[in-house]
Structures are given as C-alpha cells and as structure tokens.
Amino acid sequence: MANPYLREVSLDASLNPRLPEIGIADLCPDGIPVKIYHPEFESGGVYPLELICLCSIAAAFRPLTIFEIGTFNGRTALNLAANSPAAARLLTLDLPEQFSGETLLTVHDRDPKYIALRKVGSRYRNSRYRKKITQLFGDSASFDYAPYTGTIDLVLVDGAHSYDYVLNDSLKTLPLLSPDRGIMLWHDYGTWDEVTKAIDDLYEHNPDFAGVRHIRGTSLVIRPRM
Ligand SMILES: C[S@@+](CC[C@H](N)C(=O)[O-])C[C@H]1O[C@@H](n2cnc3c(N)ncnc32)[C@H](O)[C@@H]1O
C-alpha cells in the first residue's frame, strides 16, 4: 500500500494561499549531498520532501547560525545541524517542559495537542550533532531576542500556529537575520489556516516580506537573501 506521507504537500485551496511559488531546484543546486535523519513522518513534524528541502537549503546556504522557533522532538533541529557546516551553531526555542498552559498570545485551537505530544529535543539529544545545538525554553512572544540581533543566518519559524503567533515570530526574528546573508523559513503554509493568512498578510502589506515565496510541493515558505 502506498505510504500517504511520502508525497508532495497539496495546499488547501479553500485557504486561498496567495504567495508566488519557487522550486527547490531554483534555490539549491541539483545533486547537493544531504544527510537525512529520521525520514519517516512523525505527527507534528515535516513531511519527508520538506525534510529533504530543509536539508538541501542548509547544505546549499551553509548557515553558521540557525535559530528555530518550535523544537518539538528536535527532528528539524537535528537535520539542520547535520547539514550545516561543522562550525555552525543552532539555537532552538520551545515552551518550558513543565508548561503551565499559559501563553502571552492566544495559540491556535489545535496547538495544545502538539504541545502535549512533544518530547523536547529527544531526536537530537543522543546524536553526534548534540554539541551544535542549544535548547532554549520560553514563550516566543515574551522571549528576549535582542542578544541575537543581526547574527542569524537561517531562521525557521515553526512554533504556535495562530495568526498572532506567526506574525509575532516573523516580526521578532526578522531583525536577527545577518545583513545580506540571512534567510527565513516557515512551515505549515497552505495547510494551517492562520499560518497561511499571517504569511500572506506579511507578503502583501509589509515590504520586508515582499520577497517571500512558497516552495512548490511543500508547506515551506522562504524569504531568500535580500
Ligand atoms: C509543529 S511543532 C515543531 C516541529 C519541529 N520543528 C519539527 O518538525 O521537528 C511546534 C512546536 O512549537 C511549540 N510552541 C507552541 N507554542 C509556542 C510558543 N508560544 N513559544 C515557543 N514554542 C511554542 C510547541 O510546543 C511545538 O513543540
């Protein structure tokens, strides 16, 4: 029987996704070698093609500093660490393990399911890339990003899925990007209603996000180097 997860991601047309598309082949050279850890789909995580795209982007763009919002089990953190240069360092933020249930902004109705499911960092904890990864705990709406201003080569926004959180996470991490070098990625575009609306609104109303593109066959979005 065909594995339903080994497929491209179809965007939900009822969400009216409006971003222009770009192919992964337009972003990364064909044939770029990548290392894939835990390719199988896990609930709350990225699909295999999305994992390949993230690994390819890390291998092609060679970020030395990575900041992720939304660690979950640490599968994307592990794969980004594995495909970035040996000197690269990855910071990954998630809610505290003993989470009170309170957040500064309102999360999406379906977020609590994934907050309860997570085993924060379990995928990378015993890996050879552990030393490249720093686990941060906090609410992405109240976290102090100031120490990282202008120093991050790759940001991945994959935390809470509400409109307010996606806007918060995008706008707060934009100043972290290294001048001329930083790229930003998002997950869950065209599959989660409020993620889609937040990114579309940024694209249409904020010139800092005019360059964002949906990566075809995935729910990933990229803001390439500007
Ligand atoms: C979709 S999962 C991330 C998946 C992960 N990037 C991967 O594929 O390996 C979303 C994560 O965001 C975290 N999260 C939700 N609300 C958050 C908040 N306000 N601040 C920080 N993290 C949050 C959840 O606990 C969950 O682990």
Side-chain angles (χ1 to χ4, degrees), residues 7-80:
R7 59 167 173 81
E8 296 191 1
V9 176
S10 314
L11 302 198
D12 179 347
S14 74
L15 304 182
N16 189 24
R18 299 194 289 278
L19 294 187
E21 281 189 345
I22 191 166
I24 189 67
D26 299 319
L27 293 165
C28 305
D30 255 347
I32 190 156
V34 292
K35 301 184 195 97
I36 308 282
Y37 288 82
H38 304 291
E40 70 280 13
F41 176 75
E42 62 182 24
S43 180
V46 300
Y47 284 88
L49 175 62
E50 297 176 328
L51 194 61
I52 293 169
C53 289
L54 290 174
C55 291
S56 303
I57 289 167
F61 285 76
R62 301 183 57 74
L64 289 172
T65 44
I66 300 173
F67 193 106
E68 174 183 56
I69 298 181
T71 312
F72 198 56
N73 297 338
R75 180 165 161 257
T76 46
L78 169 61
N79 280 280
L80 289 171

Side-chain angles (χ1 to χ4, degrees), residues 70-121:
T71 312
F72 198 56
N73 297 338
R75 180 165 161 257
T76 46
L78 169 61
N79 280 280
L80 289 171
N83 288 283
S84 53
R89 293 293 173 263
L90 183 148
L91 301 148
T92 180
L93 174 70
D94 209 294
L95 291 163
E97 286 177 292
Q98 305 303 320
F99 173 54
S100 66
E102 286 185 20
T103 46
L104 192 64
L105 303 174
T106 305
V107 299
H108 194 285
D109 294 347
R110 282 154 52 206
D111 276 323
K113 170 182 165 185
Y114 298 105
I115 295 170
L117 258 182
R118 72 209 161 114
K119 294 187 172 56
V120 179

